[in-house]
Amino acid sequence: MTIPVIDLASATVADRIGEACRTSGFFYVTGHGVPRDLQDRLETQSREFFARDEASKLEIRMELAGAAWRGYFPVGGELTSGKPDRKEGLYFGVESEPGRPLHGQNLFPSAEFRETVLAYMAAMTSLGHRLMAAIALSLALPEDYFAARYTTDPFTLFRIFNYPPGDGSSWGVGEHTDYGLLTILKQDASGGLQVKSQDHWMDAVPIPDTFVCNIGDMLDRLTGGRYRSTPHRVVGTRAADRLSWPFFFDPNFDADIRAIGARELADDRDTRWDGESVHEFQGTYGEYLVAKVRKVFPHLG
């Protein structure tokens, strides 16, 4: 099995995305409309930030943002399945009034970085709406099905990760699935992302001017297992730093998560990487997400 490359300008885009969601759970997109100069500016500024000394980066450490969970964390500061990842990173979200977990103001290293990140998040939010409309059509639902019920005001998170050179003794990120509806990933030319296909792993090789998209646990939950969230990981062997820019397009924080129809496939708890069921969850997306993030950053409370 290969990861398909889908042109969003194609007349068959919904059918092709539906097929990808039923098989690999991953697909590349072209024809996305995100400006090349914006992507280049983001990459340049990201590399400049991670090239700083540790003390400078810690000036916007996550602890300063409180329950908003925004800012910088050092290598080993984020956990996957209870194990430290071999990466450092920046967390951003929609700027909002504080008072609830994952809400508040971002921490930026400069005004220029702020301008670039917010412009990029706006472009990716538009792309997320476009992709979810195609996913709705692939399910034989109205084009605005998700927009009307879950993503009128989507909860979006943006992260920038830097994976330092490694000798393969630890994973950049261990096996996991994503929490929400849809992840849209920009990756540099280094490679390292691997996707689980049946009982083996395959590389998601970087393709210029594409984004790698994958469905998350909430789309698995909403579709009753028709569209499965797919485990993936980042290998820890490389000669130079690897940067990646995952953008998470998710339901509104207060959206009540309910399956579109009856569950069509057996629960995959026994074969999932974490042994948990995404189909047993009842409640809002915010409740689900906060419980997950608290496991990733237990020291932040």
Side-chain angles (χ1 to χ4, degrees):
M1 182 174 63
T2 59
I3 300 173
V5 181
I6 301 173
D7 184 352
L8 295 184
S10 168
T12 60
V13 61
D15 290 340
R16 294 203 64 203
I17 286 178
E19 181 181 3
C21 290
R22 290 187 295 272
T23 54
S24 65
F26 272 73
F27 53 94
Y28 298 87
V29 294
T30 63
H32 46 71
V34 179
R36 182 73 253 176
D37 63 332
L38 175 59
Q39 295 185 58
D40 291 343
R41 192 162 71 247
L42 176 67
E43 182 163 352
T44 296
Q45 292 175 356
S46 299
R47 292 192 184 280
E48 289 173 350
F49 174 79
F50 288 116
R52 295 183 179 187
D53 61 66
E54 192 75 356
S56 175
K57 290 183 284 191
L58 287 171
E59 290 177 359
I60 56 167
R61 60 192 179 276
M62 292 186 76
E63 287 81 358
L64 299 178
W69 285 316
R70 312 283 177 89
Y72 171 76
F73 68 88
V75 174
E78 182 172 9
L79 307 181
T80 299
S81 299
K83 298 178 181 179
D85 296 334
R86 197 171 189 278
K87 70 175 189 289
E88 59 183 336
L90 288 164
Y91 267 52
F92 303 104
V94 174
E95 299 202 307
S96 60
E97 291 298 319
R100 294 198 290 172
L102 292 166
H103 289 71
Q105 298 296 304
N106 292 304
L107 301 177
F108 292 104
S110 69
E112 293 77 15
F113 204 108
R114 179 182 189 276
E115 180 182 358
T116 299
V117 165
L118 294 183
Y120 185 79
M121 290 182 66
M124 298 305 280
T125 299
S126 295
L127 178 57
H129 282 296
R130 187 176 173 188
L131 289 166
M132 289 308 302
I135 288 173
L137 292 174
S138 78
L139 291 162
L141 297 169
E143 187 174 12
D144 67 347
Y145 182 89
F146 293 105
R149 293 163 177 79
Y150 295 105
T151 60
T152 302
D153 180 22
F155 192 78
T156 60
L157 295 172
F158 177 46
R159 300 168 186 174
I160 306 175
F161 294 143
N162 181 55
Y163 299 83
D167 59 5
S169 60
S170 61
W171 294 105
V173 178
E175 180 179 349
H176 67 286
T177 52
D178 293 339
Y179 308 143
L181 285 178
L182 180 69
T183 303
I184 311 170
L185 173 72
K186 169 181 167 63
Q187 55 177 341
D188 70 8
S190 303
L193 174 64
Q194 294 186 331
V195 177
K196 196 170 189 177
S197 172
Q198 303 300 326
D199 58 352
H200 70 279
W201 292 90
M202 60 181 177
D203 294 325
V205 178
I207 300 175
D209 203 29
T210 68
F211 293 106
V212 182
C213 301
N214 66 277
I215 59 178
D217 290 342
M218 284 299 97
L219 192 57
D220 191 331
R221 167 83 173 87
L222 287 171
T223 62
R226 290 171 66 186
Y227 289 1
R228 291 286 200 202
S229 52
T230 303
H232 47 287
R233 66 188 184 187
V234 176
V235 297
T237 303
R238 66 186 57 83
D241 286 8
R242 171 191 185 261
L243 266 70
S244 70
W245 297 262
F247 180 83
F248 301 89
F249 187 89
D250 295 339
N252 179 270
F253 197 77
D254 296 316
D256 190 21
I257 303 300
R258 298 178 182 273
I260 294 168
R263 188 186 305 170
E264 296 189 6
L265 301 176
D267 199 327
D268 60 347
R269 176 204 298 269
D270 293 340
T271 58
R272 272 181 60 92
W273 61 278
D274 56 1
E276 296 184 3
S277 170
V278 300
H279 300 281
E280 291 181 352
F281 171 75
Q282 302 289 331
T284 66
Y285 180 66
E287 291 169 336
Y288 178 85
L289 182 61
V290 169
K292 292 290 187 179
V293 175
R294 281 179 172 152
K295 294 180 180 179
V296 174
F297 294 109
H299 64 290
L300 295 180

